[in-house]
Amino acid sequence: MVHSSFLSVSLSLLSLFGLVNAICVKPAVRKEWRALTAAERADWIDAVKCLASLPHDERLTPTVNRSISNIVPMNASSSYYDDFVYMHMIHFTGLFLPWHRWYVAVYESALKERCGFKGVSPYWNWVEDSKDVFNSPMFKDSSPRSGLGGWGNPANDIRVPDGAFSNASSFRLTYPSPHTLRRNWTAQPFLNFPLPGFMTEAEEQVQANATFTPAERDKLVHGFVGDYVGFQKYFEGFNGSHGAVHLMMGGDLGGKCPGDAPSDCVGGPTFSANEPLFWMHHAMVDKMWYDWQNAHPVNKKAFFGGSVQAIQNATYYQEYPNGAPPFFSLNSTMPSDGLFPQARIQDVMSTTEGMLCYVYQ
């Protein structure tokens, strides 16, 4: 009981009493997607689709103004899954790593509490696929019960053609407009980068998979000792592995507008959580931070970052790559858009302390 539902119990205590320092007795173990059985994969998929069948939660109060987020307002077809998508607006500030750690954790809590999920959040180890992402087994499983499906056809608005998320009647997405899940292999996602000065011409030519090879993973995990800002900058940077995985997938994970979206649709990372792979991608992002934290004692509690995005120009970004002043402290709270109790950064600095209780296999 402790193993499968500790996170939900911990979050419930946080909600009822404002307590976050529960004792982690037996951490849940997050496993790579391919280490799960077909039945375990199907259970996770069923729970994800269940969230998409639940109604929009009226408590949702977006922290980020619509003029900045560019996401259209909730509508009659919005689901509880869409509410999670609407929340995804935290990038290029000191909140990037702790907020996404919290985000995946409360998503797992929702899968358990709302949809009876008994498992643990899986992750996608894209380092294993760095030699050939396109032909990865991740995208070869066409099972309507346990498969993630393959790559979309540009002639059909890159809609995922098979697998458990290909049918709009069972997994309909709302933002930025109602559509079917889309996915499109994009080997060089940095070409024609829209922000002048942020990348050299050579950097724009980089193949996405070159950013998450075993050597790049080791450089990230074992480098930047005690340097939280440097770690985040290299990881989240415009041509870092975090963004490369988003953009190489195209479609929803890449924040691309659907073909039939309104003409004023603005692409971007805010609705990338449409793609169920998002949760496995960000569990892997979290694992990379977890591995870095555990690679050296000085990394474990290292944190520094600002609350204001500094991406107006390259000079400003170089000065404040993970946010300009005012700076966060470990006691700063993170936005939860009214759906969950607010947690502090320090509550998620460890995966086995505070409000969390899990490790990675």
Side-chain angles (χ1 to χ4, degrees):
M1 181 68 173
V2 172
H3 176 86
S4 65
S5 62
F6 185 92
L7 178 59
S8 296
V9 173
S10 179
L11 289 175
S12 296
L13 288 173
L14 175 64
S15 177
L16 291 173
F17 307 114
L19 301 175
V20 294
N21 293 318
I23 299 173
C24 180
V25 177
K26 186 178 181 181
V29 180
R30 289 185 176 179
K31 299 179 181 179
E32 211 273 341
W33 178 253
R34 286 161 285 199
L36 302 181
T37 65
E40 288 172 329
R41 296 176 195 173
D43 287 344
W44 183 82
I45 287 171
D46 285 345
V48 172
K49 294 168 76 172
C50 166
L51 286 188
S53 71
L54 299 178
H56 156 64
D57 191 325
E58 296 294 340
R59 295 178 301 168
L60 178 64
T61 307
T63 302
V64 179
N65 188 280
R66 183 192 169 197
S67 65
I68 300 173
S69 72
N70 293 312
I71 295 184
V72 297
M74 281 68 73
N75 57 56
S77 64
S78 296
S79 71
Y80 188 53
Y81 186 94
D82 294 318
D83 290 344
F84 273 93
V85 175
Y86 213 108
M87 293 170 66
H88 183 236
M89 302 177 188
I90 307 297
H91 296 90
F92 298 106
T93 74
L95 287 183
F96 173 69
L97 290 167
W99 187 86
H100 280 89
R101 174 173 283 179
W102 170 88
Y103 189 43
V104 175
V106 294
Y107 179 75
E108 179 183 301
S109 176
L111 294 177
K112 292 174 181 291
E113 294 178 356
R114 298 289 190 98
C115 294
F117 179 57
K118 303 299 183 183
V120 181
S121 291
Y123 65 95
W124 171 25
N125 188 347
W126 15 258
V127 177
E128 292 184 10
D129 296 314
S130 60
K131 289 185 178 180
D132 189 358
V133 178
F134 183 80
N135 289 305
S136 166
M138 292 286 290
F139 310 110
K140 297 293 186 180
D141 189 348
S142 60
S143 167
R145 284 276 294 122
S146 61
L148 298 173
W151 303 101
N153 183 343
N156 192 32
D157 195 26
I158 59 175
R159 297 186 183 108
V160 173
D162 49 24
F165 299 108
S166 62
N167 189 336
S169 65
S170 63
F171 191 67
R172 186 70 169 171
L173 299 164
T174 297
Y175 305 122
S177 60
H179 67 281
T180 302
L181 179 66
R182 297 159 307 119
R183 194 180 294 152
N184 183 43
W185 168 243
T186 310
Q188 292 178 284
F190 307 122
L191 292 176
N192 303 312
F193 194 68
L195 298 177
F198 282 83
M199 284 191 206
T200 65
E201 185 175 343
E203 288 172 332
E204 290 186 11
Q205 302 288 329
V206 167
Q207 299 277 331
N209 59 324
T211 71
F212 51 87
T213 61
E216 284 294 304
R217 173 201 58 204
D218 293 345
K219 178 179 179 179
L220 188 61
V221 169
H222 298 292
F224 309 100
V225 177
D227 180 10
Y228 181 90
V229 175
F231 175 81
Q232 181 179 334
K233 179 184 178 183
Y234 194 76
F235 197 7
E236 191 198 10
F238 290 97
N239 61 342
S241 54
H242 159 256
V245 173
H246 274 282
L247 296 174
M248 76 177 183
M249 297 297 295
D252 284 286
L253 194 62
K256 303 296 183 182
C257 293
D260 57 357
S263 59
D264 60 351
C265 177
V266 178
T270 50
F271 57 85
S272 59
N274 278 333
E275 164 70 88
L277 269 167
F278 171 94
W279 305 101
M280 286 188 270
H281 170 42
H282 269 278
M284 180 61 180
V285 169
D286 182 56
K287 182 181 185 299
M288 294 285 279
W289 183 26
Y290 167 94
D291 289 343
W292 179 80
Q293 287 182 304
N294 289 287
H296 197 284
V298 75
N299 295 348
K300 194 165 291 289
K301 298 296 183 181
F303 174 80
F304 185 82
S307 60
V308 179
Q309 287 186 344
I311 57 176
Q312 288 85 340
N313 60 70
T315 301
Y316 193 32
Y317 169 73
Q318 290 300 327
E319 184 176 4
Y320 300 112
N322 75 332
F327 295 112
F328 290 113
S329 72
L330 290 177
N331 202 44
S332 297
T333 56
M334 301 183 293
S336 59
D337 288 9
L339 293 182
F340 299 94
Q342 282 193 310
R344 298 167 298 176
I345 292 172
Q346 67 182 22
D347 298 328
V348 296
M349 285 298 293
S350 168
T351 68
T352 54
E353 298 173 13
M355 65 181 288
L356 304 175
C357 189
Y358 66 86
V359 294
Y360 285 97
Q361 186 181 71

